[in-house]
Amino acid sequence: MNQVQHYSAPIGRLFIALIFVMAGLNKIFAYEGTQAYMDAMGVPGGLLPLVILAEVALGLAVIVGYQTRLAAFGLAGFSVLSAILFHGDFSDQNQMTLFMKNVAMAGGFLFLVAHGGGAFSLDNRLAKND
């Protein structure tokens, strides 16, 4: 594996997952507004703690490369589900762009499912210790 491959994996994991960690943390500080938005979109606001946990925990797992395939699979599903539930209004150009962003992120996560976390991941380090 060349140097570009070694370093692109952790940087790529950081770039693709950081949005989820930040979004989850932001939802904590805008809890009531986020809960109201979810309710308005037909999604029970009571699910917000689970959403926050999923975004932060799975995002951090991808960033450090721990259980990368499983965490990436979870975030791929989360991305597609949130695209459908919150960004399905294609008459609104902004919503269509957000929908496509979520689908593209799901595609990136599926690459992680297929290829794993790479050289600088906890998965790789733990596998070497076995």
Side-chain angles (χ1 to χ4, degrees):
M1 195 180 294
N2 66 36
Q3 294 293 4
V4 172
Q5 289 173 316
H6 276 302
Y7 294 107
S8 63
I11 293 168
R13 290 193 324 265
L14 174 68
F15 285 176
I16 197 168
L18 187 60
I19 191 171
F20 289 92
V21 174
M22 296 302 297
L25 295 175
N26 286 335
K27 284 175 177 68
I28 294 170
F29 298 107
Y31 194 91
E32 291 175 5
T34 303
Q35 197 172 38
Y37 177 70
M38 289 173 66
D39 284 329
M41 297 301 290
V43 178
L47 293 176
L48 184 54
L50 189 60
V51 169
I52 293 169
L53 179 65
E55 286 183 321
V56 174
L58 295 176
L60 288 173
V62 168
I63 288 171
V64 300
Y66 179 71
Q67 296 290 318
T68 307
R69 286 184 163 97
L70 184 61
F73 186 75
L75 286 174
F78 184 93
S79 296
V80 170
L81 187 60
S82 62
I84 293 167
L85 293 173
F86 296 104
H87 307 300
D89 181 7
F90 294 147
S91 66
D92 180 342
Q93 182 68 37
N94 289 328
Q95 292 302 315
M96 187 169 83
T97 299
L98 291 171
F99 183 94
M100 294 308 298
K101 174 208 48 124
N102 282 32
V103 170
M105 290 187 336
F109 284 123
L110 291 176
F111 268 86
L112 285 173
V113 171
H115 300 286
F120 295 108
S121 66
L122 285 178
D123 292 337
N124 191 41
R125 180 173 286 264
L126 294 170
K128 286 182 179 177
N129 290 337
D130 287 342

